[in-house]
Amino acid sequence: MTSSPTESNKIMSPDDITKAKSEIYDDEDEFEDAVEERPNEADDNGNFEVTAEEISVIRAELACEFPDDYTYLSESYIKSVASKPYSKDLSKRRPLEYSTEKLSQVLQWRQEEGISQLLDLIRLTLGPENSPEALADPEKMVKAKAVATALNTASQYWHGFTKDGKPIFWVRTNRKFWYPDVDAELKALIILTDAGIRSMPQGTTEFVVVSDSTSPPPPNPSYMIGMLKGLVKGYPDRLGLLMSAPVSSIIQFVMKLLLPLMPGRLSSKVLLYDMDRMVSKLEEILPNGKDDIPTFFGGPANHDEFYPEEGYAKYQGKGSLKFDYFGMVERLEAARDEWIASEIKK
């Protein structure tokens, strides 16, 4: 049974929204953004100049605080974060200290969430439940199986790149659970997001999300807040664009819940389309235009060949994971290399 807009208004009260903001943002400036002390001129993409010396200063401070983890942040990403304007005054650049703190929070969040150990859950699900590794840590095996269950729906995966070299994260809402294990779903999302970031071409810092929002499950506030918290704290300035179609009452409702929690810079990247408009936009951004549009948007590209529903999965190992995670990574890296080769030829 789906939720109506009237029912959805009751899911989060003003107090709930305030509480959610406090969980996502450490202070109001994170939501509103602050004002840079000195004026600067932005480029055509709305970004400001960041010098090599400033990048070195940020990198050095992060290396001191997180000596084992700071290399996760590429110089291109550091520059991208530091170059952004503030929503309070788009003619001003973020202060260097604020950008450093923002990146420090990324690494702190990764430590607190144990991100570096999440891939171990994937590896654990490749073997049987009575493997020595599983028997040695039953609690970890329970978590691993829950993450595998979330991945096995094939409701989200990376496949291909845009014309300008951004990896594409596809979401198929009709495959998602109505009553999800929120913790497992969020862990699965983090594992997938990291895989996409690792596969980015050098110099690329953003990804694109395309959602087939046909028959979505009822809104789950805990999952939505956790997802937004991860995007803000763990992956700031990573989302280049999110396109969703078709526009249903549930999707409108979800956006009604999320928009009050989003900074304007983030909410402006979320676009809701009807199916015709989605097809037109996909034709614009996909390397081969119409030929790359997936079947669930009326095109010829059959994603189910690689990402079928669990019952049709070709990957049937000894463990609980049926989603072809490592095959996905290999295909994404091959698509990246193909995109790089095409850019060299230009």
Side-chain angles (χ1 to χ4, degrees), residues 56-158:
S56 295
V57 169
I58 295 175
R59 201 166 181 79
E61 291 194 27
L62 294 173
C64 289
E65 190 174 358
F66 302 94
D68 297 326
D69 302 314
Y70 79 98
T71 55
Y72 165 78
L73 305 174
S74 67
E75 288 193 7
S76 295
Y77 180 56
I78 292 173
K79 180 178 180 180
S80 172
V81 171
S83 69
K84 295 294 186 289
Y86 275 102
S87 56
K88 280 186 175 180
D89 186 347
L90 297 180
S91 69
K92 311 276 185 180
R93 194 191 74 175
R94 288 171 172 166
L96 202 63
E97 296 78 9
Y98 180 74
S99 295
T100 304
E101 178 61 22
K102 197 175 189 71
L103 292 166
S104 177
Q105 289 174 359
V106 170
L107 298 177
Q108 183 65 40
W109 177 82
R110 292 180 67 81
Q111 284 188 353
E112 292 172 354
E113 297 295 323
I115 308 300
S116 61
Q117 285 81 47
L118 288 185
L119 262 184
D120 293 342
L121 300 181
I122 296 293
R123 298 187 181 96
L124 195 57
T125 59
L126 297 178
E129 291 185 39
N130 61 353
S131 68
E133 295 82 2
L135 294 175
D137 194 341
E139 185 177 346
K140 186 175 182 180
M141 186 62 191
V142 170
K143 292 180 180 179
K145 286 180 63 179
V147 170
T149 298
L151 290 171
N152 285 344
T153 62
S155 61
Q156 49 195 10
Y157 51 82
W158 297 99

Side-chain angles (χ1 to χ4, degrees), residues 36-47:
E36 164 71 16
E37 294 117 6
R38 61 183 178 82
N40 205 340
E41 293 187 3
D43 61 19
D44 293 340
N45 296 318
N47 297 323

